[in-house]
Amino acid sequence: QVQLVESGGDLVQPGGSLRLSCAASGSIFSTLTMGWYRQAPGKQRALVAEITRGSTTTYADSVKGRFTISRDASKNTVYLQMNSLKPEDTAVYYCRATRNRNYWGQGTQVTVSS
């Protein structure tokens, strides 16, 4: 069983930056594929970025060049650095861990508005 706790969501102005964190419980973090997803009101949850246990990364086209996903095995934590934020980045951001099955965090709200 893996439990995920996200943090770092906030209200930020357009052009600003935020860093989201997702801390995972348990001792299998290094074997997990970790991802960040987001869900805006009225829309389906969609992939933002993913990082494999080998640190291969994948990004949605809409965030390439602005967002960076990384992982720290010593802290069992995955990060999402978000720069040059736009109003359309407003959503609830969810952390997902995958190993044989998917585990989800509770989500953290990111609001980009002036």
Side-chain angles (χ1 to χ4, degrees), residues 31-102:
T31 69
L32 299 169
T33 292
M34 303 296 297
W36 286 98
Y37 287 70
R38 66 187 181 188
Q39 187 167 19
K43 294 188 177 181
Q44 290 189 332
R45 193 174 298 187
L47 174 69
V48 176
E50 185 175 81
I51 184 166
T52 69
R53 60 182 183 176
S55 295
T56 298
T57 57
T58 302
Y59 295 94
D61 287 344
S62 59
V63 306
K64 284 180 180 177
R66 300 189 297 123
F67 291 11
T68 302
I69 189 170
S70 61
R71 63 193 297 160
D72 185 340
S74 68
K75 297 181 179 179
N76 277 13
T77 299
V78 63
Y79 303 99
L80 185 68
Q81 178 66 43
M82 304 186 294
N83 299 328
S84 302
L85 282 161
K86 305 175 181 180
E88 51 263 43
D89 294 318
T90 295
V92 178
Y93 284 69
Y94 296 91
C95 178
R96 189 183 87 170
T98 302
R99 182 175 181 252
N100 300 321
R101 55 159 286 189
N102 293 325

